Amino acid sequence: MAIELEDLGNGVWSAPGARIIDRTGRRMLPIGHDGFVPVAESFAFVDKTMLIADVLDSRAGISVICRPDSFGKTLNMTMMRAFFEIPPDGQSRAPLFEGTEVWEAAGGRYREHQGTYPVIHLSMCTAKNDTWEASYASIRSLVTAEYQRHAYLERSDALLEDQRNFVRRVMSGAATEADYAGSLIELCRMLWLHHGRRVVLLIDEYDAPVMAGYSAPGGGYYREVVSFLKGWLTGALKDGGEALAFACLTGVQRVTKESVFSDLNNIVVSTALDTRFDERFGFTDAEVEALAAYTGHPGCMEEAREWYDGYRFGDVDVYNPWSVLNYFAQGCSPDVYWGSTSSSAVLGDLLRNSDASTLGDVYALLEPGGVVWRPLDLGVVFPEDGATGEIIWSMLYLAGYLTTDQTALPGDTLTPRPLRIPNHEIELLYRTEIVQRFASVAGGRGRLMSLHRALVTGDENVVASALGGIERDSASYLDLVSEGACHMLVLGLLFGMGGYADPVSNREAGYGRLDIRVEPVPVPAGHYAVARRRPLLTIELKFARDADELDSLASAALLQISGRGYDAGPLPQGAFGRMRWGIAFGSRRVAVASEFVE
């Protein structure tokens, strides 16, 4: 049943647990817009202004908020700038907040903070290049632009001539490296002197240059970027303490105190495990229901939940807001919207660098109700030799590719937590990455599709040639020295088969446990002839170090399928017949045997 929205006037609509603001009444959603002022002036948006109250009430000197890409960090940061800043153009932003939750909360006591602080606002999203030189140039440009935004300091009588000259050098691009290294703390001090009010410092995507330095080609520039940010940020956040009211930084990955935030003792970090700010990033169910009702899509909630819900932030269940907005804007047409915006390379790193054991965990996640139990240490220092082992699970969690329902004791880095894929959208991203990775292993998407066709039609020569070529030329991908590693290889190669569901493995069947099964999916009406050519696939794998044993092992594997009844019983809906494969690996060779049974 659709919820009822209460019209509070002035473009404000309310429902239990949610508030929608739309000053224009056009019901247009802000796709591709993340600046609060244009969004508040021209679009409908979900009211997240109580983040302002949370930040003020926290009394934290420095708040670092880590959330996945496209979960509202940039919009929230520009919202705080619009609320707190003494407007350089003299135009009050107060009308944009009238009727919002923060404007009315606590008898209006938060209003006294509106438009009363000098604000430094920097977004590091452009400072993520392939080289340190390029990223450093981007940082310099960001600093120059922020100085130009405060160009009135060049004429301020409250500053010394040396300080005014400093402003001129930075604005003109004539500043030295030493000038830029101290540019943040100097701007804090000068704004404080000019306005007589302490400064609010907002830095969005602070980790973007760090992640770029970590993943850049040719070994990257992680050390260089961390070294610069450590001095640049610490100077303002610690040494500029008397000039600073408070600071708020947002990012995806948590860059630890041991790297960027050394010597800071007034920092509070909020990750998705924390209850601090848990409702302020991402949409709650009540907010999505209100948005669905306001945009005229109340009947789409179940589909929206399946595709975009499923995250757990602190004590709150949340949706991916970017995907929800696109879903409603496209008339409730589900798609992978988040994948086109997420800049995180963590999932790709996982699948490129994983061993057979890690791949097995990924495959387990994709099964219905699949979980992997791992501890989360969200304060790890990025390794210079790539994200591997336990670290990768924490990075995947922070990046939004995994979530957990056990969010208690966020500082506990030892107890395993049940990690799961949040929703259908992220499932599809995993499958896409798996197919791309194993298409590369197979020598391209065309060769992978040829292997799939050969497995369906029983073409032993093509299957043996394709798998033999992979073992001969690509063994380094998985170190194919055991049956388990070969099992993970074949399983990965079977994702993305046209007309088939994801492969499953190690399932109880007949009188034992089959290795791999791939079932055809039911075919829509009008494609019955195609459906008849899709058999149930059952694959049994063997491994031997003696190449002379491979042919007999492949034959034995084939007999094992029928002998133990792995594919006995009624065929799944949409299947026509049973295609059985015995495959034996070893000594850089592959032997296969197959049979088709109606």
Side-chain angles (χ1 to χ4, degrees):
M1 184 176 179
I3 63 170
E4 293 291 332
L5 294 173
E6 181 183 0
D7 185 356
L8 302 182
N10 194 26
V12 181
W13 298 81
S14 178
R19 188 167 292 196
I20 306 296
I21 314 295
D22 185 6
R23 307 296 189 191
T24 68
R26 298 184 304 165
R27 303 177 191 261
M28 297 288 291
L29 297 176
I31 306 300
H33 298 270
D34 54 14
F36 179 78
V37 171
V39 167
E41 289 176 341
S42 305
F43 297 96
F45 65 97
V46 174
D47 185 352
K48 291 290 186 179
T49 57
M50 285 303 290
L51 172 65
I52 294 165
D54 291 346
V55 169
L56 290 170
D57 292 343
S58 73
R59 301 187 182 277
I62 306 165
S63 297
V64 177
I65 303 172
C66 298
R67 295 292 188 275
D69 277 332
S70 301
F71 269 72
K73 298 188 299 296
T74 297
L75 183 60
N76 279 343
M77 292 291 269
T78 56
M79 175 188 71
M80 286 197 288
R81 170 181 154 184
F83 186 86
F84 289 119
E85 186 169 39
I86 301 169
D89 59 6
Q91 183 176 351
S92 173
R93 308 298 187 199
L96 299 179
F97 293 92
E98 293 176 1
T100 63
E101 290 189 72
V102 74
W103 201 252
E104 299 179 352
R109 71 179 178 89
Y110 297 108
R111 299 179 193 178
E112 67 186 50
H113 295 276
Q114 201 284 316
T116 60
Y117 296 86
V119 172
I120 298 172
H121 176 235
L122 296 165
S123 176
M124 308 294 285
C125 64
T126 60
K128 48 185 181 182
N129 306 94
D130 286 343
T131 66
W132 167 234
E133 291 75 19
S135 286
Y136 180 56
S138 296
I139 294 172
R140 292 200 310 266
S141 296
L142 291 171
V143 171
T144 297
E146 187 64 6
Y147 267 72
Q148 291 170 345
R149 205 170 69 84
H150 297 285
Y152 54 85
L153 293 175
E154 182 186 5
R155 304 176 299 276
S156 174
D157 293 335
L159 304 184
L160 299 173
E161 185 61 26
D162 284 348
Q163 291 174 311
R164 290 192 290 267
N165 286 334
F166 187 94
V167 173
R168 294 182 187 110
R169 288 200 304 275
V170 175
M171 288 198 304
S172 66
T176 65
E177 288 194 14
D179 289 336
Y180 281 112
S183 59
L184 199 53
I185 186 174
E186 289 300 323
L187 187 54
C188 284
R189 288 170 175 165
M190 290 185 290
L191 287 171
W192 179 44
L193 289 171
H194 176 83
H195 292 281
R197 295 294 307 270
R198 290 183 176 178
V199 176
V200 171
L201 175 59
L202 305 174
I203 300 181
D204 192 23
E205 298 194 49
Y206 83 97
D207 65 323
V210 178
M211 288 302 294
Y214 157 74
S215 60
Y221 51 90
Y222 178 78
R223 288 189 177 184
E224 291 90 338
V225 68
V226 166
S227 177
F228 173 81
L229 291 178
K230 185 175 182 179
W232 186 63
L233 287 173
T234 301
L237 297 175
K238 181 182 180 183
D239 300 331
E242 63 180 2
L244 198 63
F246 60 87
C248 187
L249 294 81
T250 65
V252 175
Q253 298 293 332
R254 177 179 175 182
V255 183
T256 65
K257 288 179 63 175
E258 289 73 16
S259 50
V260 169
F261 299 122
S262 297
D263 303 323
L264 295 176
N265 56 14
N266 58 339
I267 183 172
V268 175
V269 179
S270 169
T271 69
L273 290 177
D274 295 285
T275 57
R276 287 185 294 264
F277 316 124
D278 54 4
E279 292 183 71
R280 312 310 178 201
F281 297 86
F283 291 161
T284 65
D285 194 72
E287 289 168 341
V288 175
E289 278 200 284
L291 195 62
Y294 185 71
T295 56
H297 301 296
C300 298
M301 282 301 301
E302 286 305 313
E303 187 174 61
R305 290 188 181 102
E306 177 187 355
W307 275 78
Y308 308 117
D309 191 10
Y311 290 93
R312 180 78 173 177
F313 290 176
D315 290 336
V316 178
D317 295 325
V318 298
Y319 293 68
N320 181 319
W322 169 256
S323 299
V324 167
L325 291 174
N326 278 275
Y327 173 71
F328 287 140
Q330 295 297 322
C332 295
S333 177
D335 203 348
V336 181
Y337 296 110
W338 188 65
S340 63
T341 66
S342 175
S343 60
S344 175
V346 179
L347 181 57
D349 283 350
L350 169 71
L351 292 169
R352 282 190 297 272
N353 301 325
S354 56
D355 55 17
S357 175
T358 304
L359 276 177
D361 290 335
V362 173
Y363 300 150
L365 284 169
L366 286 167
E367 295 185 5
V371 298
V372 171
W373 288 81
R374 289 291 185 278
L376 292 176
D377 184 355
L378 305 186
V380 296
V381 179
F382 296 148
E384 294 184 20
D385 57 351
T388 56
E390 297 302 310
I391 294 172
I392 192 68
W393 300 106
S394 297
M395 294 178 72
L396 283 168
Y397 174 75
L398 285 167
Y401 290 105
L402 294 172
T403 192
T404 182
D405 297 312
Q406 289 191 9
T407 57
L409 301 174
D412 182 357
T413 62
L414 300 177
T415 304
R417 302 175 192 264
L419 304 177
R420 59 177 175 81
I421 294 173
N423 51 48
H424 188 55
E425 180 180 43
I426 306 301
E427 285 180 15
L428 293 180
L429 285 174
Y430 272 85
R431 291 190 183 97
T432 299
E433 289 286 349
I434 290 170
V435 171
Q436 289 178 348
R437 185 261 170 102
F438 283 95
S440 175
V441 173
R445 195 66 175 266
R447 290 188 178 183
L448 182 60
M449 292 176 66
S450 295
L451 172 62
H452 290 168
R453 285 193 295 269
L455 287 166
V456 171
T457 60
D459 192 330
E460 295 182 4
N461 290 332
V462 171
V463 172
S465 176
L467 295 180
I470 292 170
E471 185 176 23
R472 182 181 65 252
D473 302 329
S474 305
S476 60
Y477 274 89
L478 286 171
D479 294 326
L480 300 176
V481 294
S482 68
E483 182 175 325
C486 296
H487 186 129
M488 291 301 105
L489 168 69
V490 174
L491 199 61
L493 291 167
L494 296 177
F495 277 86
M497 289 186 65
Y500 281 83
D502 291 343
V504 297
S505 69
N506 295 320
R507 295 293 179 87
E508 296 285 346
Y511 299 98
R513 294 178 66 87
L514 59 82
D515 277 346
I516 299 174
R517 169 182 288 169
V518 196
E519 296 186 2
V521 296
V523 178
H527 296 270
Y528 179 70
V530 176
R532 289 180 58 85
R533 295 196 293 270
R534 291 177 180 161
L536 170 68
L537 300 181
T538 307
I539 300 172
E540 184 68 23
L541 301 166
K542 302 294 181 183
F543 179 84
R545 298 190 181 279
D546 187 349
D548 294 337
E549 300 178 13
L550 295 181
D551 290 332
S552 59
L553 279 175
S555 298
L558 183 63
L559 288 173
Q560 184 175 326
I561 295 172
S562 57
R564 297 187 181 180
Y566 289 161
D567 60 358
L571 286 169
Q573 182 181 1
F576 176 73
R578 300 165 173 83
M579 179 62 70
R580 301 166 179 166
W581 286 93
I583 302 176
F585 288 83
S587 302
R588 299 277 182 173
R589 288 188 57 237
V590 175
V592 304
S594 69
E595 66 176 359
F596 175 78
V597 179
E598 292 190 9

